[in-house]
Amino acid sequence: EVLLRWMHPEKGMIPPSEFIPIAEAYGYISVIGEWVLKTACMEAARWKNPYKIAVNVAPDQLSDPRLPEIVSEALEMSGLPASRLEIEMTESGIVADPAHTRAIIGQLKAMGVSLAMDDYGAGNSSLSTLKNYPFDKIKIDKSFVTSVGSDPLAAAIVRSTIILGKSLKIPILAEGVESESALRFLRRVGCTEVQGFLFGKPLPASAIGEIYA
């Protein structure tokens, strides 16, 4: 998964939780998002091994009718096959304009790009969204995954989401796996894809290339 960090010359590493809301408030998120997408595709295209990358798009990007064109340009410029790119989106970006989003998603799917619903369970996630949009993956929000051992409700939500995914034949990925106990729980309930600090922490693109490519 592509993660954005800002290396400030004076303040050091600044997490996205601090600067992304500012970028969104001042209308810069689409510009930043386009740069991230194109840079990530260029980087991944240089890897010897054909690993897939996942790039999140903000609600403002999803509402932009140019998004399919931007994605197409990123793939063409980099030479990255569409099958190696996964676009992640949250439901908040979908519900703002369902008809527009359906058209955008249709164009992205036609390119061969896969789509994932990110942060499922947080916000206003609904079954109708899963029914009406052709997602290739559902990513369970980390707020539920990190507390499966201490919160029976969180455990029940994770378990039911995995059952739902199997019924819909959509792969489920659990975000934020940070402990062996959480991993054991996910294995017991049949989750087959996970990500989190238990397996690796964020690394710069150059390091990813050296280790995995």
Side-chain angles (χ1 to χ4, degrees):
E1 180 177 356
V2 176
L3 303 172
L4 187 61
R5 300 290 186 272
W6 178 13
M7 178 58 77
H8 192 279
E10 298 176 358
K11 299 181 180 180
M13 192 71 76
I14 300 177
S17 58
E18 293 187 19
F19 67 85
I20 289 297
I22 299 173
E24 290 177 327
Y26 286 89
Y28 289 108
I29 194 62
S30 291
V31 176
I32 293 173
E34 180 175 348
W35 175 83
V36 169
L37 176 65
K38 292 181 177 179
T39 302
C41 288
M42 292 291 290
E43 181 69 29
R46 289 194 288 264
W47 297 345
K48 295 178 182 178
N49 294 315
Y51 296 117
K52 196 168 188 174
I53 60 169
V55 181
N56 188 274
V57 296
D60 282 356
Q61 291 176 270
L62 195 56
S63 66
D64 186 348
R66 293 181 55 250
L67 179 60
E69 179 184 345
I70 291 169
V71 172
S72 179
E73 287 177 358
L75 294 173
E76 184 176 351
M77 289 171 54
S78 64
L80 186 76
S83 59
R84 289 182 56 194
L85 177 62
E86 181 173 87
I87 298 293
E88 298 184 0
M89 59 192 70
T90 60
E91 191 165 25
S92 60
I94 295 172
V95 298
D97 190 345
H100 166 80
T101 303
R102 192 173 291 109
I104 294 293
I105 285 178
Q107 293 177 65
L108 293 174
K109 289 285 287 184
M111 293 180 200
V113 172
S114 59
L115 304 175
M117 175 180 278
D118 197 18
D119 300 338
Y120 186 79
N124 300 312
S125 298
S126 67
L127 299 180
S128 62
T129 301
L130 298 181
K131 175 179 178 292
N132 294 323
Y133 297 90
F135 287 105
D136 300 289
K137 184 180 293 180
I138 301 171
K139 303 185 73 173
I140 305 175
D141 187 71
K142 68 174 293 184
S143 62
F144 297 102
V145 177
T146 54
S147 55
V148 292
S150 58
D151 184 349
L153 181 57
I157 290 172
V158 171
R159 186 183 297 108
S160 62
T161 302
I162 292 168
I163 293 172
L164 175 64
K166 289 181 178 179
S167 299
L168 296 174
K169 295 182 172 56
I170 302 176
I172 302 293
L173 182 147
E175 299 180 291
V177 180
E178 300 178 356
S179 66
E180 291 288 351
S181 60
L183 181 61
R184 286 194 296 270
F185 171 86
L186 292 166
R187 282 174 170 158
R188 284 200 308 271
V189 297
C191 185
T192 58
E193 296 186 35
V194 296
Q195 71 180 62
F197 284 3
L198 184 62
F199 304 96
K201 295 187 177 182
L203 294 170
S206 57
I208 293 290
E210 292 173 3
I211 296 173
Y212 297 107

